[in-house]
Amino acid sequence: MTAQSTTINEPSLQDKITYQLCEYANLVNSISKEDGDLEDTLSQKIQQYLDTNRDVIGGWEIVWGPGVALFDTDLYAVNALYMARSTEDRSRYVIAMAGSTDALVFDWLVEDSFILQTPWFANNAAWHTIGTAIGVKTLLNIKPSGQRPGAGHTLPEFLSSLGDKAIDLTVTGHSLGGALSLTLALFLRDTQWLWDNSEKARISVLSTAGPSFCNQEFVNYTTQRLQRVRRYANDLDIVPHMWNPPDIDGAKALYSKNNQPAPGGMQVLLEVLEIQASVSGQYAHFDPASGVFHGTFNNKINQTQGSTPDDLYFAQVGYQHIGGYHEFFEIGGVQWPQGVVALPPVGTDAVMNRVLALAGLPLGDGAGKVLANHRPATVPLNGQPVELPTDHDSPEAKNFVDRVTAEFNPTSA
């Protein structure tokens, strides 16, 4: 089963290798902190795949991290980040970040990605979501622990310590990381004078499976500021259909031609999201045409015995969000990482009930299996937990936006 690319520019071997490194950042997505030290586990897993795939992707070494952001009230990581350097071209670095690390796509789509928009600190006409601002601030505050490379230092602090700044630096992320990678790359470029006052470093970004989170001016500005911007999206993946309202509308019938319609609760949820997005901002995609490829519907999923239609739908959603990109970025002989998931390993009735609950609908028979939200309903601002507003039109929401905007500035990096 091979993805049918319709991109103007096929992914280069370097893009495929960068995507591999991006996947490794997601290897603790579904692992609880109760199972051990997440940073230590992630470090071991990344090193395992760097060693396993060395003959295919070349030699790479971890030079910073990995670091994991974890709130006291969480069982799962909020995000994860690491930086690697090629051992064959020591001027080449990749910063790779995880996507939604609680393994539930709908969590950050609905609850954690606050989609009201705020102006970019270096360009008042360029707007991006509050969710990406919070996410990048979280990434910038990560400090690896223990004996890991760069322990006790943030990523900008580590970049400042590099002797030779004439480097090629690519920032990459998948899913939620697809949006955060673009924002973090631009942040590093617009604050480059703080860690590279000669501005020798060349900064690029490879974003995959991300939602639209910014207006067209942000797209234009980012493309002009960075060395290279590449975005790839599977047209059968539901996540890139967020947050532009017409795209959300299209997601309602994503698999209908394959006789796999979205469950009723999902249809209602998408309608709610479409209404919310239509009043929250403007959402443009990077590479809206050349970066999109035709995915392949996975018919093998429909052969699963004893599965309900909802089971099959969500299995397809999960496959298109992960497996569809594996097809597209395939490198002969590579071993794909195991444990990178898009949906949690629980009954689909639990997932569906979660979706119904988020849409404000009554729960069904599986109500007792609804996953607990392991993420807090607060975000850290100025070191203090601030509750996320639930009504985007409320005075509390405006105040929240103002507070995030004030904190998101170069001097706080």
Side-chain angles (χ1 to χ4, degrees), residues 202-235:
R202 297 168 295 278
I203 306 172
S204 300
V205 65
L206 179 71
S207 165
T208 59
S212 53
F213 64 94
C214 60
N215 67 359
Q216 187 62 49
E217 179 59 32
F218 190 100
V219 171
N220 297 342
Y221 178 69
T222 303
T223 303
Q224 175 246 324
R225 289 289 285 160
L226 298 180
Q227 184 80 13
R228 179 176 183 261
V229 176
R230 287 301 289 140
R231 165 192 171 257
Y232 293 103
N234 176 2
D235 67 352

Side-chain angles (χ1 to χ4, degrees), residues 53-114:
N53 289 322
R54 181 177 297 273
D55 290 343
V56 180
I57 67 173
W60 290 85
E61 59 183 348
I62 301 172
V63 294
W64 180 89
V68 172
L70 183 66
F71 296 151
D72 290 341
T73 51
D74 267 354
L75 287 178
Y76 297 92
V78 174
N79 216 312
L81 187 72
Y82 80 101
M83 184 172 181
R85 177 176 60 193
S86 169
T87 60
E88 296 158 9
D89 178 358
R90 298 181 71 83
S91 68
R92 184 164 182 248
Y93 291 79
V94 170
I95 297 172
M97 66 192 66
S100 47
T101 57
D102 63 358
L104 186 54
V105 171
F106 303 108
D107 255 2
W108 68 264
L109 283 181
V110 182
E111 299 175 44
D112 297 316
S113 185
F114 199 71

Side-chain angles (χ1 to χ4, degrees), residues 50 311 352 355 412:
L50 291 179
D311 289 330
M352 195 64 246
V355 171
S412 61

Side-chain angles (χ1 to χ4, degrees), residues 189-386:
R189 177 67 183 95
D190 281 346
T191 61
Q192 190 168 352
W193 56 276
L194 288 171
W195 56 270
D196 172 22
N197 54 24
S198 62
E199 298 196 3
K200 291 181 180 178
R202 297 168 295 278
I203 306 172
S204 300
V205 65
L206 179 71
S207 165
T208 59
S212 53
F213 64 94
C214 60
N215 67 359
Q216 187 62 49
E217 179 59 32
F218 190 100
V219 171
N220 297 342
Y221 178 69
T222 303
T223 303
Q224 175 246 324
R225 289 289 285 160
L226 298 180
Q227 184 80 13
R228 179 176 183 261
V229 176
R230 287 301 289 140
R231 165 192 171 257
Y232 293 103
N234 176 2
D235 67 352
L236 293 182
D237 180 8
I238 195 171
V239 176
H241 284 76
M242 308 296 150
W243 287 99
N244 185 36
D247 293 338
I248 297 175
D249 191 60
K252 298 175 186 176
L254 204 54
Y255 313 131
S256 292
K257 66 180 180 181
N258 303 101
N259 297 316
Q260 195 72 68
M266 191 65 194
Q267 292 272 359
V268 173
L269 176 62
L270 290 172
E271 289 175 7
V272 170
L273 297 180
E274 188 175 352
I275 293 170
Q276 179 177 310
S278 67
V279 298
S280 297
Q282 297 179 349
Y283 308 94
H285 266 307
F286 290 79
D287 290 334
S290 63
V292 179
F293 62 90
H294 280 315
T296 303
F297 188 82
N298 190 340
N299 288 301
K300 292 182 180 179
I301 290 175
N302 285 359
Q303 299 169 12
T304 306
Q305 296 296 318
S307 297
T308 68
D310 288 2
D311 289 330
L312 299 176
Y313 174 83
F314 283 108
Q316 192 70 228
V317 167
Y319 173 80
Q320 296 299 339
H321 192 53
I322 302 294
Y325 292 86
H326 287 189
E327 294 178 22
F328 184 69
F329 288 100
E330 180 67 37
I331 309 175
V334 78
Q335 180 178 322
W336 288 102
Q338 302 300 308
V340 175
V341 296
L343 292 174
V346 297
T348 304
D349 58 344
V351 178
M352 195 64 246
N353 278 323
R354 182 73 174 276
V355 171
L356 290 170
L358 294 171
L361 300 177
L363 301 181
D365 294 336
K369 297 181 181 179
V370 175
L371 292 174
N373 183 9
H374 296 303
R375 291 189 177 184
T378 62
V379 295
L381 293 179
N382 293 320
Q384 299 297 320
V386 177

Side-chain angles (χ1 to χ4, degrees), residues 133-183:
I134 294 169
V136 169
K137 284 295 295 184
T138 300
L139 294 172
L140 291 168
N141 287 331
I142 290 177
K143 295 181 180 181
S145 62
Q147 300 300 312
R148 281 167 279 282
H153 298 282
T154 65
L155 183 60
E157 288 170 351
F158 173 78
L159 290 171
S160 295
S161 71
L162 292 179
D164 184 5
K165 299 295 198 302
I167 62 174
D168 283 303
L169 177 62
T170 300
V171 184
T172 185
H174 185 81
S175 188
L176 173 59
L180 295 182
S181 58
L182 288 155
T183 318

